[in-house]
Amino acid sequence: MEPTEVGSSSGSYDKSQVVDVRPLRCLVPWFPAPPLGYQTPPPFVYAPPFGPFPQGYSPFYPFFNPSEPPKTSEPQNNLNNGTANQDGAGFGYDNNVNHEASPSYYTPPRAPRYNAENGDTAPSRKSSSTRGDSVVVISESEEDGYSNSKKRTANYLGSMDIQESGSSQKTRSRPKKIKPNPDIKFQVPANGDRETVNDLLLKFDALRRKLSQIDDTKEVTAGIKRPDLKAGTLMFNYGLRTNAKKIVGVVPGVEVGDIYYFRMEMCLVGLHAPVMAGIDYMGLKFDQEDETLALSIVSSGGYEDDAEYGDVLIYSGQGGVASKKEGKEASDQKLERGNLALERSLRRGNEVRVIRGLKDVGTVSGRVYVYDGLYRLHESWTEKGKAGTNVFKYKLVRVPGQPEAFVLWKSIQLWKDNTVSRPGIILPDLTSGTEKVPVCLVNDVDDEKGPAHFTYFPTLKYSKPINSMQPSIGCNCRSSCAPGDPNCACVLKNNGDLPYISNGILVIRSPFVHECGSSCLCYPNCKNQVSQNGLKVRLEVFKTKGKGWGLRSWDPIRAGTFVCEYAGQVVEPSRGNENEDDEFIFSAARSFDKNFKWNYIPEILEEDKPSDPDEVSSAPLSLKISSKNFGNVARFINHSCSPNLFWQPVLYDHNDETSPHIVFYAIRHIPPMTELTFDYGPAPGSNGSAGRRECLCKSSKCRGFFG
């Protein structure tokens, strides 16, 4: 039979004739545009005809041989350890995979479980936990207003107006923008160590305290009233930050259990970059494909309503929150930005830093953030929120082998509710009600039942009557002293400023702090009386390993917080050296570490720089206090060459500068259950080994001895 001509008038085609067509494999595949909210189009999987195939993907006809089981590959959930930059250097596939020998294919990110933009809804399901897991449900409602990009964060910080410092006159209607002085330069390592991180946090909080004092003094009518954001802006402008290059996992110089009172602090040390968003992420390249991975999350803190706690965190995604201010209604969360990064991290299995926020007992609405260490994502799903919209949920499990942090906080809360539940407790209150808050005596080290007998006394016992000392001239303020009031005698004695900001935090070290006392008309309801009102933080005396008894706190302590006074019997100078063998002698003649810097950097605020802003330029004190027979909790504070407390002379019941009260304040933020220490310092003129004792502080700056 003759074949019919193709395209003949009859309209029939000869199907046996070979025509010239391009093979299908040469055609470029086409995919529809991705739905709104996706940062990358739906993945296209490249695989050889007979595998291996990525996990979760099946072979398709005609490359499937029914007589042979399909080949699969192991999921690539591990990332190379080390530091990566924004372009993804240092990250890739699992090191155990031979990429040159194996066929090249792209492992796609985990497929989304639902797409809110298209109206899809996944069935609600709860995550199942293994035995022993406790779950904390956290709702993350912080808006991603300034996202996680460096550009947006920089724009946000750069838009801030900083109030001009200086005189106590009313602030002008238009605030002054402080620009960096090119003549002022600071050298900060790009990758911070522990010392660098601590130094930056000291500088930040010193600057924040000073700016807060300025805001208290002035009636601010323009600009923002957030000294933490102002201080952070100045720190950024002068390059006072470290670990600016985002990394996955451990941040150099940051330790599990560290606490922060401001989000800006975490940003300055590289723990969590965005100043507002709850999810920090970065872009990386995987086999020439761009992806985003979650680096850290900050929980909004909903722990009080949970009956259980532990190393499992159920974290809610970001976005979709109603806003009355912006007229926005609640909506389904979208798989974008931080939410998408968490989904990708679930697929990749990288470690995510978790920072938990808890209520700050020292302020009405404040929060304290604790770095709880590294977690890994184990599961994600969607469920209906309280507003009836779809919310992403992510289950994170803490990497084992890390020091306790959040779990310790929850244990302390149980002790506060029931003191006798504290393991190793000897006495619920060794002060016998002398202090406003009880002080536990605890020994969970050995069988010793307590220190040598002494009489608890909360302040100084003078050898001469107070009325025989130089009397204190009080102020005539009818109510609480006003910051910057030129008519207030106590303000003038403190060089024109009140020594404390509104929440009772000390601003700077000075030769003397003058508090309002009983001779003041504002007494006893003035905020310029902090140290004389007794303990505020919950302390415990505990048995140490090798250093006798020590002191620590159940509460977190903010830098500048009053901790306690050194109480005891004031030793008369005429008694000479007869008390030198007394282990409970405090000598004000001992000097501080000359490198100890706690005050703010005045030149950043365009103020004149003194020769040494931390120099206490007053006559050396010869005051000695013995707490051997009479004393308080301060007698248990041990020495450290890297202390977290410093002492400050304070006057309020008299004006005799030879016998001030010796008051301890926190140098930096102190996490709960951290031993409280101060630097005893060397004895004046001591050059030999006589009287020296071996130091057991084990800090990086340990001098090996003290005294």
Side-chain angles (χ1 to χ4, degrees):
M1 179 179 178
E2 291 289 328
T4 306
E5 183 179 355
V6 178
S8 63
S9 58
S10 64
S12 60
Y13 291 88
D14 181 5
K15 297 180 181 179
S16 64
Q17 182 176 349
V18 177
V19 294
D20 184 17
V21 296
R22 291 180 177 271
L24 182 62
R25 65 175 182 272
C26 292
L27 298 180
V28 178
W30 177 88
F31 296 97
L36 184 61
Y38 286 90
Q39 294 188 0
T40 57
F44 180 70
V45 183
Y46 294 92
F50 297 102
F53 300 98
Q55 187 180 34
Y57 290 85
S58 302
F60 56 92
Y61 182 82
F63 298 137
F64 177 59
N65 183 357
S67 63
E68 182 177 340
K71 299 178 182 179
T72 59
S73 63
E74 292 296 324
Q76 299 171 359
N77 287 333
N78 297 324
L79 295 174
N80 298 338
N81 293 327
T83 303
N85 57 24
Q86 294 272 41
D87 296 326
F91 289 87
Y93 287 114
D94 192 331
N95 287 334
N96 296 326
V97 179
N98 185 349
H99 302 294
E100 295 181 0
S102 60
S104 174
Y105 63 86
Y106 167 63
T107 303
R110 189 184 183 102
R113 298 176 184 268
Y114 91 114
N115 182 6
E117 191 69 20
N118 293 337
D120 299 334
T121 303
S124 176
R125 57 188 177 89
K126 299 292 184 180
S127 62
S128 59
S129 60
T130 59
R131 178 174 296 183
D133 283 347
S134 299
V135 175
V136 180
V137 179
I138 305 303
S139 176
E140 179 56 59
S141 59
E142 294 176 274
E143 286 293 339
D144 194 17
Y146 287 91
S147 189
N148 303 277
S149 69
K150 285 186 175 180
K151 182 177 180 180
R152 291 187 178 184
T153 300
N155 291 341
Y156 174 61
L157 295 175
S159 66
M160 297 180 185
D161 287 338
I162 310 300
Q163 291 299 140
E164 181 182 16
S165 62
S167 64
S168 59
Q169 64 183 3
K170 301 296 183 182
T171 304
R172 301 188 304 272
S173 59
R174 192 165 184 174
K176 177 183 178 182
K177 272 191 176 180
I178 297 181
K179 296 181 179 180
N181 185 338
D183 297 330
I184 303 175
K185 298 184 183 298
F186 299 95
Q187 297 295 327
V188 181
N191 297 322
D193 53 15
R194 187 63 176 171
E195 184 176 352
T196 299
V197 166
N198 284 339
D199 181 66
L200 284 175
L201 294 177
L202 279 177
K203 284 183 170 63
F204 167 81
D205 201 70
L207 189 59
R208 181 200 63 81
R209 294 192 306 269
K210 183 59 181 179
L211 290 169
S212 182
Q213 185 186 57
I214 294 171
D215 283 350
D216 287 347
T217 304
K218 298 180 178 182
E219 182 180 341
V220 180
T221 58
I224 60 175
K225 299 180 181 180
R226 290 283 301 273
D228 57 313
L229 299 183
K230 297 176 186 179
T233 302
L234 288 169
M235 297 278 284
F236 269 87
N237 289 344
Y238 281 97
L240 286 168
R241 63 179 303 191
T242 189
N243 300 320
K245 187 174 290 186
K246 293 187 177 185
I247 59 176
V248 177
V250 176
V251 177
V254 176
E255 296 181 357
V256 176
D258 285 352
I259 61 174
Y260 308 89
Y261 285 87
F262 304 96
R263 296 278 294 267
M264 184 63 72
E265 293 174 303
M266 295 183 277
C267 183
L268 290 171
V269 300
L271 180 62
H272 186 79
V275 294
M276 295 182 67
I279 305 173
D280 187 11
Y281 55 89
M282 69 183 295
L284 295 172
K285 285 186 179 295
F286 291 90
D287 197 22
Q288 305 305 315
E289 296 289 338
D290 292 329
E291 283 193 21
T292 55
L293 288 183
L295 304 178
S296 60
I297 59 174
V298 177
S299 70
S300 60
Y303 315 110
E304 294 84 358
D305 298 329
D306 298 308
E308 296 180 323
Y309 63 92
D311 293 337
V312 176
L313 171 67
I314 305 300
Y315 187 80
S316 298
Q318 62 185 187
V321 181
S323 174
K324 293 183 179 180
K325 184 177 180 180
E326 300 178 6
K328 292 169 52 179
E329 295 183 355
S331 60
D332 290 339
Q333 291 184 349
K334 300 177 181 179
L335 194 62
E336 61 182 10
R337 296 185 296 186
N339 296 337
L340 181 61
L342 284 172
E343 192 72 27
R344 297 288 173 82
S345 289
L346 172 64
R347 178 69 181 87
R348 291 290 177 184
N350 66 284
E351 295 172 335
V352 177
R353 300 184 293 271
V354 170
I355 302 101
R356 304 214 192 213
L358 299 96
K359 185 180 184 333
D360 178 14
V361 295
T363 56
V364 177
S365 59
R367 306 202 71 78
V368 56
Y369 299 94
V370 55
Y371 173 45
D372 200 28
L374 301 176
Y375 281 64
R376 279 196 175 94
L377 285 132
H378 277 233
E379 192 175 4
S380 71
W381 67 94
T382 61
E383 63 181 43
K384 291 290 184 181
K386 293 181 179 179
T389 58
N390 289 310
V391 177
F392 288 103
K393 296 288 184 178
Y394 302 92
K395 177 183 177 182
L396 297 98
V397 179
R398 196 167 189 256
V399 176
Q402 302 179 89
E404 285 187 345
F406 174 70
V407 170
L408 178 62
W409 286 62
K410 301 302 291 186
S411 298
I412 293 172
Q413 185 58 52
L414 295 178
W415 302 343
K416 289 182 178 180
D417 297 338
N418 183 16
T419 305
V420 296
S421 66
R422 169 74 169 100
I425 188 168
I426 299 174
L427 285 175
D429 184 14
L430 64 80
T431 76
S432 301
T434 304
E435 300 286 2
K436 295 180 180 179
V437 292
V439 178
C440 289
L441 179 65
V442 176
N443 185 355
D444 52 8
V445 175
D446 53 34
D447 297 329
E448 189 174 355
K449 297 302 181 182
H453 175 75
F454 73 101
T455 301
Y456 196 94
F457 196 77
T459 186
L460 291 180
K461 287 181 68 69
Y462 296 100
S463 57
K464 56 185 177 180
I466 294 181
N467 56 17
S468 66
M469 300 180 182
Q470 184 178 346
S472 177
I473 301 175
C475 64
N476 297 319
C477 302
R478 296 293 179 178
S479 59
S480 182
C481 296
D485 184 358
N487 299 315
C488 175
C490 293
V491 167
L492 295 178
K493 284 189 289 187
N494 287 292
N495 297 320
D497 290 307
L498 289 180
Y500 303 103
I501 52 181
S502 57
N503 58 355
I505 300 296
L506 185 69
V507 179
I508 61 173
R509 285 177 64 222
S510 58
F512 289 95
V513 165
H514 295 268
E515 294 187 0
C516 293
S518 56
S519 61
C520 299
L521 295 182
C522 62
Y523 187 86
N525 298 316
C526 184
K527 60 186 177 183
N528 185 32
Q529 50 181 79
V530 174
S531 65
Q532 57 193 285
N533 290 333
L535 301 182
K536 294 293 180 63
V537 295
R538 184 68 185 271
L539 302 171
E540 78 168 20
V541 175
F542 73 105
K543 185 65 182 295
T544 68
K545 295 180 180 179
K547 295 187 294 183
W549 297 90
L551 186 69
R552 59 190 177 194
S553 172
W554 288 5
D555 296 324
I557 303 176
R558 181 182 295 193
T561 297
F562 158 72
V563 176
C564 63
E565 176 184 350
Y566 197 98
Q569 180 76 46
V570 176
V571 179
E572 284 292 323
S574 60
R575 295 175 62 179
N577 298 328
E578 61 182 87
N579 296 100
E580 287 302 320
D581 294 334
D582 187 349
E583 293 183 358
F584 296 95
I585 281 284
F586 171 88
S587 175
R590 298 180 185 272
S591 61
F592 286 125
D593 179 3
K594 295 299 184 182
N595 295 322
F596 169 55
K597 304 292 182 183
W598 196 70
N599 294 348
Y600 73 104
I601 308 172
E603 59 267 34
I604 288 184
L605 296 180
E606 296 186 343
E607 297 177 352
D608 292 335
K609 179 182 178 181
S611 58
D612 187 347
D614 277 293
E615 182 181 359
V616 180
S617 56
S618 62
L621 289 173
S622 59
L623 176 67
K624 289 184 179 181
I625 305 170
S626 173
S627 60
K628 183 176 182 179
N629 299 317
F630 297 89
N632 65 346
V633 293
R635 72 195 299 272
F636 298 106
I637 303 177
N638 285 317
H639 162 81
S640 174
C641 300
S642 298
N644 48 30
L645 302 179
F646 70 91
W647 59 268
Q648 164 73 55
V650 177
L651 294 169
Y652 55 82
D653 50 358
H654 61 81
N655 205 38
D656 188 347
E657 294 186 353
T658 63
S659 298
H661 295 269
I662 301 300
V663 179
F664 290 98
Y665 298 89
I667 293 177
R668 54 181 178 270
H669 303 332
I670 307 174
M673 303 302 287
T674 301
E675 183 176 4
L676 304 177
T677 58
F678 77 97
D679 190 344
Y680 289 6
S686 60
N687 296 321
S689 59
R692 291 184 176 183
R693 284 177 282 181
E694 181 184 0
C695 180
L696 302 174
C697 71
K698 298 180 181 180
S699 73
S700 59
K701 296 183 178 180
C702 183
R703 300 189 295 267
F705 60 88
F706 64 91

